Amino acid sequence: MRGIVGALVGIIITMLIGIIVVSTIINSVNTSGWSAEANQTWQTLQSNIWVAFGLLVILPLIVGAVMIMKMIGGEGGEV
């Protein structure tokens, strides 16, 4: 059980650090003087980055489920 909690805490902390780093990088970009097309591309990139982080929320659930299944199911793959 300690392994599950440790792995989940590690994943969550890593995700939080990633959000802080990406947010800092996004906020540090100076877009003044960019063309309309460049600004649109930058907005699309930011949107895609935050969608990716939104999908990462599923990762701790998957890892937790796999670890629990391994604890109660043994090796796995048996029918």
Side-chain angles (χ1 to χ4, degrees):
M1 190 65 162
R2 294 174 95 186
I4 295 170
V5 174
L8 292 177
V9 168
I11 290 169
I12 292 168
I13 289 173
T14 303
M15 287 171 51
L16 290 173
I17 291 171
I19 289 171
I20 292 169
V21 168
V22 168
S23 178
T24 302
I25 291 171
I26 287 174
N27 290 331
S28 69
V29 173
N30 182 8
T31 59
S32 63
W34 285 13
S35 67
E37 185 178 351
N39 280 323
Q40 179 62 35
T41 302
W42 179 243
Q43 293 301 321
T44 303
L45 176 65
Q46 288 180 48
S47 176
N48 289 338
I49 288 170
W50 295 124
V51 167
F53 272 108
L55 292 174
L56 279 177
V57 172
I58 300 170
L59 184 63
L61 299 173
I62 294 170
V63 170
V66 167
M67 289 183 166
I68 290 171
M69 287 171 44
K70 184 171 179 149
M71 280 181 23
I72 63 173
E75 300 266 333
E78 296 93 35
V79 179

